[in-house]
Amino acid sequence: AKQGAKMLLSASKLVMLSEAFPTFGMGYVRRREITPGELLKVGDGAERNSIVLSALTHPPEACKLRNYELSDIPAPLRARLAHWAAAAQRPKRVLVLVNPTSGHKRGAQVWAEASGLFALAGVSATTVHTQRRGHAFETVLRADLANLDGVVVVGGDGTVNEVVSGLLANRRGVPGQTASIPLGIIPAGTDGTFVKFVSHNSLLKATAVILGGKWGHDRLPMDLLSVRGIGGEERLAAC
């Protein structure tokens, strides 16, 4: 950090204070705050004993990936920062279902941008690009959910519906027990009517919620309506 900079660390917040000197006028103090869920990585800086804090700010504030380089950071403080960031308890292993044809074939491109943030945060993502209708449902139905911390959908309403149906059908071999696992949505569809109610239209905002761990702001329960036809076919709808 520049001369005069200070860093205050509490259980829930990191506050950085630094002196800024504009070209004209008096100097002022710049204040930056980061929560554990926003801090994706504590990396090496360009100079010896320097570090780079990579943070993805959460909604409702402007969501942006920011890098803060701090100098003269002793090893014990760096270790403490890394331990502090781990308190976010973000998912470690997720299954990602990408619909490459969503939103005029934008799905693959959207995930290509978001996947870099998952890697930066140290989240292992097993990615499946759907190839046909029903592929997402079949994949989630066969998935070993016990070894996953969450499922992520990159697509529109149709893909989300398949994944939710697959989660409900995946009972881990125990009759009457539906699998319960966090579901994250990164919108990539044309309209995304359902996604608008449970996620964010912005790629960065949606990703920030998923990577925020227990510090995320938008983790909500969801009610589902199940309708079964005479032939036994079941359809689901969000309530």
Side-chain angles (χ1 to χ4, degrees):
K2 295 181 180 180
Q3 185 176 3
K6 294 183 179 180
M7 183 167 57
L8 308 175
L9 186 63
S10 69
S12 61
K13 187 179 298 183
L14 168 64
V15 179
M16 294 179 290
L17 304 174
S18 61
E19 296 180 7
F21 301 95
T23 304
F24 301 99
M26 299 180 61
Y28 61 95
V29 175
R30 177 177 293 139
R31 178 188 178 98
R32 300 290 188 187
E33 295 185 2
I34 302 175
T35 65
E38 293 173 322
L39 182 57
L40 302 185
K41 182 179 181 181
V42 180
D44 295 323
E47 301 178 358
R48 184 179 180 184
N49 294 331
S50 66
I51 62 173
V52 175
L53 304 181
S54 298
L56 183 61
T57 56
H58 282 165
E61 299 178 0
C63 193
K64 185 178 181 181
L65 179 63
R66 303 176 186 273
N67 293 311
Y68 304 98
E69 184 165 3
L70 307 176
S71 58
D72 299 326
I73 302 298
L77 178 56
R78 174 172 179 156
R80 184 183 175 191
L81 281 170
H83 179 74
W84 178 80
Q89 297 180 11
R90 63 174 47 94
K92 299 298 182 183
R93 299 172 302 276
V94 296
L95 172 64
V96 182
L97 285 304
V98 181
N99 185 346
T101 63
S102 289
H104 304 293
K105 300 184 179 181
R106 289 180 55 251
Q109 179 183 350
V110 169
W111 173 240
E113 297 178 21
S115 61
L117 298 173
F118 278 70
L120 187 64
V123 177
S124 175
T126 300
T127 307
V128 176
H129 289 73
T130 59
Q131 301 175 2
R132 63 187 182 281
R133 184 177 180 179
H135 190 186
F137 171 82
E138 296 168 3
T139 301
V140 176
L141 179 64
R142 297 192 303 265
D144 184 3
L145 301 179
N147 291 321
L148 295 172
D149 299 315
V151 176
V152 178
V153 180
V154 182
D157 291 343
T159 312
V160 172
N161 181 274
E162 282 194 28
V163 171
V164 171
S165 298
L167 289 174
L168 291 175
N170 188 330
R171 304 178 187 275
R172 302 183 190 177
V174 181
Q177 292 189 12
T178 300
S180 177
I181 190 171
L183 174 66
I185 304 174
I186 300 178
T190 305
D191 183 25
T193 302
F194 172 72
V195 172
K196 292 177 183 178
F197 289 97
V198 298
S199 184
H200 296 274
N201 289 331
S202 164
L203 182 155
L204 285 180
K205 288 183 178 181
T207 304
V209 170
I210 295 171
L211 297 180
K214 73 173 185 178
W215 301 88
H217 297 286
D218 294 336
R219 187 168 176 174
L220 302 172
M222 181 174 62
D223 294 326
L224 295 174
L225 172 66
S226 174
V227 179
R228 190 178 299 275
I230 298 177
E233 182 181 4
E234 184 181 29
R235 293 295 181 90
L236 302 172
C239 303

